[in-house]
Amino acid sequence: MAIENGVLFQYFHWHYKNDGTLWREVAANAKELARVGITSVWLPPAYKGQAGTNDTGYGVYDLYDLGEFDQKGTVRTKYGSKDEFIEAVRAIQSNGMEAYADFVLNHRCGADETEIVKIV
């Protein structure tokens, strides 16, 4: 979608509630966002963080767990399940908007143990 002056809507904030409803909320509001002129939606990290459902996604634990595996005391992430995330993205796209998922590759503090790496 080539839009010269689009409007990106950031659909999260640091202190968003920890009840697993964000992805469902995004999907439910996608039509209204498009109606008011939003052209793209920025979503928070969808993967599991080191603090489970209390993690915003910036304390990366597992980049491949989008709320599908039982890790860190939970299956869902702070924002919901993998299926709900996919449905939110589909709702955004089906209403003519672009979906942008925040994906942080340089945050690696959420491992289960320390790894010693030799630099040569």
Side-chain angles (χ1 to χ4, degrees):
M1 171 188 315
I3 297 176
E4 190 171 321
N5 290 310
V7 178
L8 171 67
F9 185 84
Q10 179 181 329
Y11 209 115
F12 65 99
H13 54 83
W14 194 259
H15 300 288
Y16 195 83
K17 57 189 176 255
N18 172 17
D19 63 2
T21 63
L22 181 66
W23 302 145
R24 291 189 306 263
E25 180 182 313
V26 169
N29 291 327
K31 186 174 183 176
E32 179 63 10
L33 291 171
R35 187 192 71 74
V36 299
I38 303 300
T39 57
S40 56
V41 180
W42 177 17
L43 301 172
Y47 45 77
K48 189 78 51 76
Q50 67 180 354
T53 58
N54 293 312
D55 202 291
T56 60
Y58 295 97
V60 179
Y61 177 70
D62 185 347
L63 294 170
Y64 300 99
D65 183 356
L66 305 181
E68 180 178 20
F69 306 111
D70 189 357
Q71 299 185 100
K72 294 299 184 183
T74 181
V75 173
R76 73 167 174 88
T77 67
K78 179 177 183 172
Y79 309 113
S81 71
K82 175 185 175 182
D83 291 337
E84 292 165 338
F85 173 68
I86 291 169
E87 183 56 36
V89 171
R90 285 184 177 149
I92 290 166
Q93 292 172 335
S94 69
N95 282 282
M97 298 176 288
E98 297 286 329
Y100 293 96
D102 206 339
F103 195 80
V104 185
L105 295 174
N106 67 330
H107 293 192
R108 297 290 192 216
C109 61
D112 290 326
E113 57 190 62
T114 302
E115 180 180 355
I116 298 180
V117 178
K118 183 178 179 181
I119 300 173
V120 288

